[in-house]
Amino acid sequence: MRVARLEFEPSGYSLWLAGDELEYLVSLDPPMCTCPDFSFRLARGRPAPCKHLRAALRAAYWGAREEMRLPDSELIRVLAEGRPPRASRPA
């Protein structure tokens, strides 16, 4: 599974990308993932981390991840569309 940390500049805000064929946005604080599994668990009243959130937590702890730096203008688009950035490039 690919895991990448997205750092937005100059705000310093960060999100994560995690996934295999499809990539989902992940936040560690508060814990959240845009995948259907996370939404279904939350809707059922049984919030639990999905595999994407667990992968991002492991990557944050162990440091095994890609790093990407993007402008804050891209953060606004990513949050508004709820999708990963169009052109992801390693930092």
Side-chain angles (χ1 to χ4, degrees):
M1 177 180 298
R2 175 184 180 216
V3 178
R5 181 174 174 260
L6 307 175
E7 184 175 338
F8 295 90
E9 297 175 334
S11 69
Y13 188 78
S14 64
L15 287 172
W16 295 77
L17 284 179
D20 297 309
E21 292 177 26
L22 295 174
E23 291 183 318
Y24 297 98
L25 290 172
V26 176
S27 170
L28 299 183
D29 187 23
M32 181 279 306
C33 181
T34 58
C35 77
D37 183 49
F38 186 82
S39 298
F40 291 142
R41 291 174 191 218
L42 197 58
R44 289 184 190 128
R46 289 181 269 158
C50 62
K51 68 180 183 179
H52 309 104
L53 184 52
R54 288 191 306 268
L57 287 166
R58 279 192 305 271
Y61 183 80
W62 294 105
R65 64 188 178 253
E66 282 181 51
E67 298 270 346
M68 289 181 267
R69 298 189 196 298
L70 299 165
D72 281 345
S73 59
E74 191 72 3
L75 169 63
I76 294 165
R77 189 196 63 74
V78 166
L79 291 175
E81 295 178 7
R83 290 188 306 208
R86 285 182 218 122
S88 302
R89 61 188 188 284

